Amino acid sequence: MDNLTYRISTMDVSQADAATQSIAGKYAVDESLFDSLVDQAIGIDNVSAAEERTLKQRLVEATDDDIEHLAKIFDERIVEGQGETIIEIGGEDSEFPMDLNDADVAAISETLERVVKHASVTAFVSLLYDTHAKADADSQKTTYARDISSAAADGANKEPTGRSVHYLMRRTPKSVEEMLEVRVAVVGNVDAGKSTMLGVLTQGKLDDGRGLARVALFRHKHEIDSGRTSSVGLEILGFDKLSGAAIRHTPGAHNKMGWDSVCNRSSKLVSFLDLAGHEKYLKTTVFGMAGGAPDYVMLMVAANAGLTGMAREHLGLALALGIPVFVVITKIDMCPAGVLDSTLKQLTKVLRSSGCRKLPIAVRGRREVVMAAERFVNQRVCPVFQISNVTGEGVDNLQTFLNILQVNRSYAVTHEAASTSEKQDNNQGQLNQQLRYEISEIFSVPYVGTVVSGVVNSGTMVAGQTVWMGPDFHGNFIPVVMKTIHRKRVEVQSACAGQSVSIALKRISRSQVRKGMVLLGRTLGDSEVEQPQVSMTFEAEVVVLYHSTTITRRYQAMVHCGSVHQTARVLSIRQADESKGSLLRTGDRAKVLFQFIRHPEYVLPNSRLIFREGRTKGVGKVLRVLNKQEEREAISAATNGTMVFDHRAIKIKMETLRHQSGPAAATATKAAFDASISANSKKSKK
C-alpha cells in the first residue's frame, strides 16, 4: 500500500460518529501494521537494535558500530572547540547523565581510548576529574576559612549530584603549524612575583624564597641586579601531544631542551608575556598588552600587599581591552592568616564593584579548576588561585587550568586552513586579501637580515609570499617577500590567524621597518598605485577614566591601538549633551577626532584604543578613519580655516631635500612653506 488517502465527507459530526461506529468492527486494522505502513510512507525505517542502545551502553559495552557513532559525535565536538573539548559524563546535572560505578568508569576510559584512535578523530584523551576520586573527595572535606564565596549565587559551589567524570580530548597535531596556542599576559604590581611564578611554571623548579627561579627569565643585566622586569619577556609552557603532560624547556641543563623540541612534542602551547610592574615602565606594559594580543590576563597579587599600586592600573587596562582576567595570589607561605583574609576581602570587593562586575571563584581543587575553565570565557567568572612558589602549594591547579584553557575563537581562519593554504595556489589571491599581520618587534639577525615578530590578526600567510608592508613615514606601502616563517623558533611553511610568528623579510633593511607597521595581503590585481588606505585622522568614541582638570581641543596624548603607539592631538570634541560644550572631564563620554602628530598609521574601525598622558587615562573604540578630503575639512574646521591644506606633505618634502640636496634646498622649501602659511592666513582673515 503505497499511498494512504483519507477523505472526509461533508456530513455533520453526528452522522460521522454513527458511520464510524457501524463500520468499526467490519474494517478493523492491525495497529502494528498500520504504524509500520505510516513510517514507510513518511520515510522512517524500522529502528534497529543498535539505534535503541543508550549512550551508557555505547560507552560501557562498545561495539564497532558504537565506536563509529561516538567517533562522529566527538569529532564534531573537537572541531567546534577548534581542536579540543572537555566531556562530562555521569551525574544528574551533567551533559550525559547516568549512574556510574568503578567498573563503568574503567570501561568508559577504555572506550574513549578506542574512539580517539579512530581515523576520523586522531586525538588523545585524559581523565581530568572524577568526583569519587580519593584526592578530590578528601579536598572537598576540608573547610576553607579563606575561601571566596561570591560565586555561590551563580551555582559555582554547588555540589555535584551522582558520580561524574570529566575527560579532556585534544587533536594530535601533524606539525607545529597545527599546534594550539594560548597567549597569557602576566601583569601585577612590582614585587608581586610575576617572573618568579613564570620561572616555576616553565622550568619546573620551586623558588628558594630569594628569586632563584626568575633569574633565567631576565633579558638584561640591570634586571638581574634590581630583580625587576623592564622589557617584554616571552616564555612558553607546552603540553604533550600523547598524554597532555607539561613539557618545559631546560636552559643550561645537561640534556638541554630548546623551544623547538618543546613545540615538536606539544599539542598545545601557552605563551607568557612577562610584563613590567614598575610605574616607570608603564608604557612598555601598555604596549605589550595592546600589541601582544593576549587571549587572557593573569593578574598577580602579593598576599602580604593586596591589590595596590600598578595592579589596579593593569586590571583597568585588561577591562578596557576586553581581555578575560584570572587572579593569582602569591606568597601565601609567608603571609599571616589575618593579612591574607584582608587581601581576599579587598580583592572580592574590587572584582564585584560596578566597574569590574566579576564573580570571583576560589580554586582549590580539580572540580573548581574544570568548572572555572569551562565558564571562564562565556560568563563573568574570575578564578582566584592561591599559590606558593616556595612550597609549591596550588601550582598544580594553576598548571591544569592553563592546560584546559580554551583557545581564542574570535579568529575566523581555522588551523586546518593554514596547513593546506600553501596547496591552494589557485585561490592565493582570495586568501591573501584577508591577511593582516601587526609588527610588534624588530630584529637584525646576522646572515639572515631583518626579522619582524608579531601576531597574525586575520587570514593566512605562506613562505615566499609577496605582501604589502607599511605605512612608512610618508604613508606609503612597499611590496616585500617573506623568505621564511618561524613559529616559536621552528620553521614552518604557513601560519594562520591567531598565531604569533616571526618572519624574515627579503632585501629589507632594519631602518625601513618600525613598530606599528602591518603586513597586508596583495590580490592578484593589485599594483603599486592601489595601496591600502592610511590616514592621519580618525574618529573614536572615548571615555575619560581620569583627568585632573579638563580636556579641550589641541590636547595631546599617547594613543595605543594594537601595535600602533603614537602621540595624537585632539581636533574636535562632540558630546551627546551639547550643554557641556567641547570639554571633557573624568567620566565623560564623547566622540573625539584625533590626528597623529608624526606620520599616518593603518587603523581599522572597531579597534579598541587607549590614550594616556601622565596620570590621564582614557579608553575608546575607533568609529571611522577619515580619507584625505574629510581630513582637510576636519583640519580646516578645527583651525578656523587657517590650515586648509596639508602641511604634512611640505614637511616631508623638506626632510627629504634636507638629506638629498643639502641645507640650501631645504631652506628654500621652508621659505616657500612660510609664504604659503602667510598667504593662507591673510585669505582666511578676508
Side-chain angles (χ1 to χ4, degrees), residues 637-653:
T639 58
N640 296 324
T642 59
M643 294 175 63
V644 297
F645 60 94
D646 191 3
H647 289 182
R648 183 177 71 255
I650 300 181
K651 291 182 179 180
I652 291 176
K653 186 175 181 180

Side-chain angles (χ1 to χ4, degrees), residues 507-653:
R507 296 179 181 177
I508 295 295
S509 62
R510 173 66 177 80
S511 59
Q512 293 180 269
V513 191
R514 61 175 177 83
K515 295 181 181 180
M517 281 186 169
V518 295
L519 299 181
L520 301 176
R522 300 179 63 193
T523 60
L524 296 179
D526 278 347
S527 63
E528 295 185 1
V529 180
E530 300 171 346
Q531 296 187 2
Q533 178 183 354
V534 297
S535 178
M536 290 279 292
T537 312
F538 65 93
E539 185 181 19
E541 184 178 6
V542 301
V543 177
V544 181
L545 301 180
Y546 175 78
H547 187 63
S548 57
T549 56
T550 58
I551 296 178
T552 60
R553 291 192 311 175
R554 299 183 181 180
Y555 173 80
Q556 297 185 5
M558 175 65 70
V559 174
H560 296 266
C561 183
S563 61
V564 173
H565 59 291
Q566 187 183 162
T567 304
R569 67 165 64 93
V570 176
L571 293 181
S572 65
I573 300 174
R574 182 159 50 94
Q575 297 197 42
D577 188 1
E578 297 181 356
S579 61
K580 294 183 179 180
S582 58
L583 299 176
L584 287 179
R585 297 180 176 86
T586 302
D588 288 348
R589 180 189 298 268
K591 294 182 179 180
V592 179
L593 201 63
F594 288 97
Q595 183 187 33
F596 291 116
I597 295 295
R598 299 184 60 191
H599 47 76
E601 299 282 4
Y602 183 79
V603 180
L604 294 178
N606 298 323
S607 301
R608 291 181 178 268
L609 65 88
I610 299 174
F611 66 92
R612 63 174 190 84
E613 186 266 329
R615 295 188 175 273
T616 301
K617 291 176 289 296
V619 298
K621 183 176 68 172
V622 178
L623 297 179
R624 63 189 181 97
V625 179
L626 278 65
N627 54 35
K628 291 186 178 180
Q629 181 62 30
E630 293 174 338
E631 182 180 354
R632 290 173 180 267
E633 296 175 356
I635 295 175
S636 177
T639 58
N640 296 324
T642 59
M643 294 175 63
V644 297
F645 60 94
D646 191 3
H647 289 182
R648 183 177 71 255
I650 300 181
K651 291 182 179 180
I652 291 176
K653 186 175 181 180

Side-chain angles (χ1 to χ4, degrees), residues 12 99 139 244 256 306-307 491 609 615:
D12 56 16
D99 296 329
S139 65
K256 181 177 179 181
L307 191 64
E491 185 174 357
L609 65 88
R615 295 188 175 273

Side-chain angles (χ1 to χ4, degrees), residues 7 99 118 166-167 238 285 300 362 416 488 503 594:
R7 298 180 180 178
D99 296 329
H118 194 272
H166 293 74
Y167 292 92
T285 302
M300 308 291 294
E416 289 79 2
K488 307 303 178 186
I503 304 171
F594 288 97

Side-chain angles (χ1 to χ4, degrees), residues 319-334:
L319 295 175
L321 295 174
I323 307 175
V325 182
F326 63 95
V327 182
V328 176
I329 301 177
T330 60
K331 304 182 181 180
I332 62 174
D333 58 295
M334 59 174 292

